[in-house]
Amino acid sequence: MDDPLLRLPPLDPLRGFVATARLLSFTKAAKALCLTQSAISRQIQSLEEALGVSLFVRGTRTLSLTPEGERLYRLASPWLRDYGELAAGFKASHQRPPVTVTASLGITALWLLPRLRDFQARHPDIDVRLASFNRVVELRREGIDLALRFSPEADVPPGSERLFGETVFPVASPSLGIDSLDADNLPTVTLMNYDDPGFPWLGWESWLDEYGLAERRPRALLHFNHYDQLIQAAVAGQGVAIGRAELVSDLIADGRLRPVGGVRRRIRERGYWLVAATARPREDVACFADWVREAARQTREAATGLTGGA
């Protein structure tokens, strides 16, 4: 039995024809389809031979459609567009959903993002979506798989995993040449304050008391309401900040920051936690969670080296 499909002209050259008809240029069509001009010309020629008609009027520097070319373009162009959209829809329906992770702006900028390249190198087939904001969200309701939270243990859901603690101390860029703070050099130093009443240990008032410098004034006091911006300013040499060992250990290791003085404070009532939306996450989410645990172990080791187990 003669199948009509056997009598169809070649379909592959239709792409080259539609591109050429739209752009009225073999050169531009070849560029659009990442082909050579001669390849486009051969496609058009094979289609014309199969159809038995000319599709283009070829001038010295011009190209236009014949009436037959116009009819074919009106038919083929929307068909190829619809076919492409259908194929894209099929692919999208089978794509693996990304692993969606939420964390505060500071944790994202200072801890997660610098390490994310390692995860991508190990698992290029897993897409990651970051949702960074300084508010606690309901994970399932927001469509989030994992959260990295800095919180007291009482405030995290059951089953959450503690990644590491919080140890703080002053830090500054080595370019400032500041090894410690005392009554002699404080009037020449700019101090940078994190203005959040929930984090008093990141402000300078109690630190100056501890150093016996409460009655002395620094050269200037800069205030920040985003911790990652404060640390960026410290790296740029704009002043001395209170560093969180677990978030700035990489910056210290590569020489962009260094501790100022020898005082270390352990914030025992708070910690960094890994929170999962479900007790049985899908495979990609479990893979990312395992990577977070490994990265956290490395952070604990680096922070211990900086704090001496304080």
Side-chain angles (χ1 to χ4, degrees), residues 70-122:
E70 290 276 6
R71 291 176 61 189
L72 180 59
Y73 180 65
R74 287 196 298 269
L75 174 70
S77 181
W79 181 82
L80 286 180
R81 183 191 64 241
D82 292 345
Y83 177 57
E85 291 177 353
L86 179 66
F90 286 158
K91 290 181 180 179
S93 66
H94 290 87
Q95 284 180 345
R96 295 154 67 174
V99 177
T100 302
V101 184
T102 184
S104 70
L105 299 175
I107 296 174
T108 300
L110 297 173
W111 191 83
L112 185 56
L113 280 179
R115 290 165 173 77
L116 198 56
R117 182 181 298 178
D118 174 69
F119 178 82
Q120 292 173 314
R122 298 190 197 186

Side-chain angles (χ1 to χ4, degrees), residues 43-56 58 66:
Q43 286 187 358
I44 301 301
Q45 184 177 1
S46 68
L47 189 58
E48 289 177 325
E49 290 173 353
L51 295 174
V53 297
S54 294
L55 299 173
F56 293 97
R58 297 161 173 84
T66 64

Side-chain angles (χ1 to χ4, degrees), residues 136-281:
V136 176
V137 297
E138 177 60 40
L139 300 188
R140 290 189 183 183
R141 186 178 63 199
E142 299 282 345
I144 294 172
D145 299 304
L146 296 169
L148 302 179
R149 290 180 179 167
F150 178 69
S151 173
E153 183 174 3
D155 292 345
V156 296
S160 301
E161 299 178 57
R162 185 181 173 94
L163 298 174
F164 40 80
E166 171 102 314
T167 306
V168 296
F169 48 83
V171 294
S173 168
S175 65
L176 295 183
I178 301 174
D179 296 319
S180 62
L181 293 176
D182 54 44
D184 292 330
N185 69 4
L186 184 61
T188 69
V189 173
T190 296
L191 301 181
M192 299 192 297
N193 212 61
Y194 182 52
D195 285 342
D196 188 323
F199 298 80
W201 57 90
L202 297 179
W204 276 101
E205 184 175 356
S206 63
W207 285 89
L208 292 178
D209 279 341
E210 184 160 343
Y211 288 142
L213 301 173
E215 303 303 319
R216 307 285 293 184
R217 294 287 301 172
R219 183 181 68 179
L221 191 62
L222 295 179
H223 297 267
F224 294 81
N225 64 349
H226 289 294
Y227 187 74
D228 58 309
Q229 294 176 0
L230 180 147
I231 293 301
Q232 290 168 9
V235 169
Q238 296 184 28
V240 183
I242 305 301
R244 306 163 86 171
E246 290 74 13
L247 299 188
V248 302
S249 59
D250 290 346
L251 298 173
I252 293 175
D254 64 20
R256 285 185 284 174
L257 288 177
R258 72 179 182 187
V260 174
V263 178
R264 307 288 187 267
R265 288 185 182 176
R266 180 76 176 271
I267 311 303
R268 300 185 182 280
E269 65 272 18
R270 297 284 189 103
Y272 294 82
W273 299 83
L274 176 63
V275 183
T278 175
R280 294 184 177 180

